Amino acid sequence: MSDKKRIVVLISGSGSNLQALIDACGTGHIAGEVVGVVSNIADAFGLTRAENAGVANQVLSHREFSSRDAYDQQLIQCIDEYTPDLVVLAGFMRILTPEFVQHYQGKLLNIHPSLLPKYQGLNTHQRAIDAGDETHGVSVHFVTEELDGGPVILQAKVPVFAEDTASDLAERVHEQEHRIYPLVVNWFCQDRLTMSENCAILDNEPLAENGYANEE
Ligand SMILES: Nc1nc2c(c(=O)[nH]1)N[C@@H](CN(C=O)c1ccc(C(=O)N[C@@H](CCC(=O)O)C(=O)O)cc1)CN2
Ligand SMILES: NCC(=O)N[C@@H]1O[C@H](COP(=O)([O-])[O-])[C@@H](O)[C@H]1O
């Protein structure tokens, strides 16, 4: 009987964070196993990454459902078939209903490409450039009903250069994402990370509102 935590990853696109998690599980840097991948987009390259890694994967298109509630109810059914210990959003581009969030409360993580609470929502890199920010970054947080408002666990910062495009910034952020997401997922798999009263707890210590530390 494996004592590895069972991880289900939700994607919508390229899946580079999924790949980082699969790789970290493979090297033992995560005390877990990605047992399933679900995408809401049929041609998400992340599905190819899962297939190549021998990870079960499926598409559940939101376009085939009449409501967000109906989609999320079916999504719960799909995910629970894998009996997950942890559900990880890795570029999953759907706002989740309160019912979904409550079902996985405390074992639902997201990675967001900004230094929360700045720039919740979408298009974060361009917004940082347009604002003239000299520093940008990424946040890993527990998912709550409030969009990108859940307790932050860990952040990493990147510099913004004058000539940066959104694509340049996205690439720089991705490098940090692939570093910190496996760290946080492993903390959870080691039973070191929990959520209580909308606060992230690491090694029995409540984390500050910007997480464990601002990783440079
Ligand atoms: N209830 C929650 N749901 C989700 C959270 C969350 O914190 N609470 N995090 C997001 C991830 N995310 C940013 O990190 C995000 C994803 C999607 C959207 C969004 O506006 N989606 C639109 C569709 C956009 C598209 O299809 O391109 C929508 O769902 O109508 C905002 C933020 C995941 N869900
Ligand atoms: N609002 C959610 C959001 O924008 N998430 C972002 O989507 C990208 C997915 O890349 P990937 O598919 O290569 O992992 C990542 O940069 C992640 O931070």
Side-chain angles (χ1 to χ4, degrees):
M1 180 73 174
S2 169
D3 56 0
K4 288 183 176 181
K5 289 293 193 287
R6 296 173 60 82
I7 305 163
V8 170
V9 182
L10 306 189
I11 63 168
S12 298
S14 169
S16 70
N17 278 283
L18 166 66
Q19 189 67 62
L21 296 173
I22 289 172
D23 293 348
C25 289
T27 58
H29 288 92
I30 292 178
E33 179 186 5
V34 178
V35 296
V37 174
V38 182
S39 174
N40 66 309
I41 302 295
D43 64 353
F45 184 66
L47 292 165
T48 302
R49 295 180 191 269
E51 199 66 28
N52 291 343
V55 175
N57 60 91
Q58 65 186 102
V59 176
L60 187 70
S61 172
H62 60 282
R63 297 186 179 100
E64 294 174 9
F65 291 80
S66 58
S67 72
R68 200 176 291 271
D69 281 330
Y71 177 74
D72 280 14
Q73 284 168 19
Q74 184 59 44
L75 185 58
I76 287 172
Q77 298 297 322
C78 289
I79 294 169
D80 283 355
E81 286 288 315
Y82 297 105
T83 61
D85 296 299
L86 174 65
V87 179
V88 173
L89 309 183
F92 184 68
M93 301 304 285
R94 298 296 297 174
I95 298 171
L96 295 161
T97 59
E99 290 71 23
F100 183 100
V101 171
Q102 285 157 21
H103 186 80
Y104 295 111
Q105 190 92 334
K107 59 180 186 178
L108 181 58
L109 299 177
N110 182 51
I111 192 159
H112 180 77
S114 81
L115 293 174
L116 292 171
K118 289 186 81 171
Y119 309 132
Q120 294 170 326
L122 299 176
N123 201 27
T124 62
H125 306 308
Q126 192 58 54
R127 290 157 70 187
I129 291 169
D130 293 346
D133 292 352
E134 294 181 353
T135 303
H136 186 46
V138 54
S139 305
V140 179
H141 63 97
F142 280 108
V143 174
T144 62
E145 294 175 29
E146 181 189 356
L147 184 62
D148 303 330
V152 175
I153 301 161
L154 185 61
Q155 295 183 320
K157 293 181 180 178
V158 299
V160 184
F161 301 121
E163 69 284 2
D164 271 342
T165 64
S167 177
D168 296 330
L169 204 44
E171 184 177 347
R172 200 169 304 131
V173 166
H174 268 314
E175 288 174 10
Q176 295 304 313
E177 292 180 341
H178 303 159
R179 185 174 67 85
I180 71 169
Y181 219 176
L183 278 177
V184 173
V185 168
N186 190 46
W187 288 343
F188 186 94
C189 291
Q190 292 178 321
D191 297 319
R192 297 173 54 191
L193 176 66
T194 56
M195 186 178 87
S196 173
E197 296 176 5
N198 208 37
C199 177
I201 313 284
L202 178 64
D203 295 335
N204 300 313
E205 291 294 327
L207 296 180
E209 63 179 13
N210 60 347
Y212 173 71
N214 276 330
E215 295 266 309
E216 293 303 328

